[in-house]
Amino acid sequence: MVGSAVMMAASLHGTLGQVVVSVAATLLVYWATERYADLLAAGARGKGLDRRRVVTALGRGWPMLQSSYAPVVVLLVASALGAELRSAVLTALGLSTVMLAGLGYDAARRRALAPARALGWAGLSALLGVAVIALKLVLH
């Protein structure tokens, strides 16, 4: 979600390269601050911060970065195939929305919710992506 929001905002006035760098830099900063907060909380709870605990904490946050790869790859591929930046960003945001829906569905099913309820969660999750796309369309 963070990557999609940054992609949308950076594309309003930036080039393809600026959008990609903005997304990567922002996600790295978010990842680092989230991981730091996790380690700080562990220290505040009296847990020692040995090397193993630090490596484990850093790894737990890795999926946030991994989830941004596919939309950025789609952005780059769409651009390489000749799409204008606006269209390439919308394509990447569309993929991100589908991914959000899938993650919402998967999370609900892992909680043993019925398929119909899981579809509801998928729809609610997708609405976050739709909101970013709508914002992109309104602002650009």
Side-chain angles (χ1 to χ4, degrees):
M1 204 59 232
V2 172
S4 294
V6 172
M7 188 181 298
M8 183 278 302
S11 70
L12 294 176
H13 303 289
T15 64
L16 174 64
Q18 290 169 329
V19 171
V20 171
V21 168
S22 295
V23 170
T26 301
L27 287 168
L28 282 172
V29 168
Y30 267 75
W31 173 79
T33 56
E34 180 190 49
R35 297 298 81 219
Y36 174 74
D38 188 47
L39 290 168
L40 189 61
R45 289 189 302 268
K47 297 180 179 178
L49 295 180
D50 60 10
R51 180 184 168 113
R52 183 190 59 77
R53 188 169 303 233
V54 170
V55 169
T56 299
L58 294 176
R60 273 196 312 267
W62 203 246
M64 180 177 71
L65 294 176
Q66 289 174 314
S67 67
S68 67
Y69 296 163
V72 170
V73 168
V74 166
L75 171 70
L76 291 170
V77 168
S79 293
L81 293 175
E84 292 181 11
L85 181 59
R86 180 176 192 267
S87 298
V89 167
L90 287 172
T91 302
L93 293 177
L95 172 65
S96 183
T97 300
V98 170
M99 289 173 62
L100 281 169
L103 289 169
Y105 182 84
D106 186 53
R109 291 298 291 155
R110 287 176 187 255
R111 293 198 40 121
L113 295 181
R117 289 193 66 200
L119 285 173
W121 279 105
L124 287 173
S125 299
L127 282 177
L128 294 171
V130 170
V132 172
I133 291 170
L135 188 58
K136 167 72 176 154
L137 294 172
V138 167
L139 293 177
H140 196 240

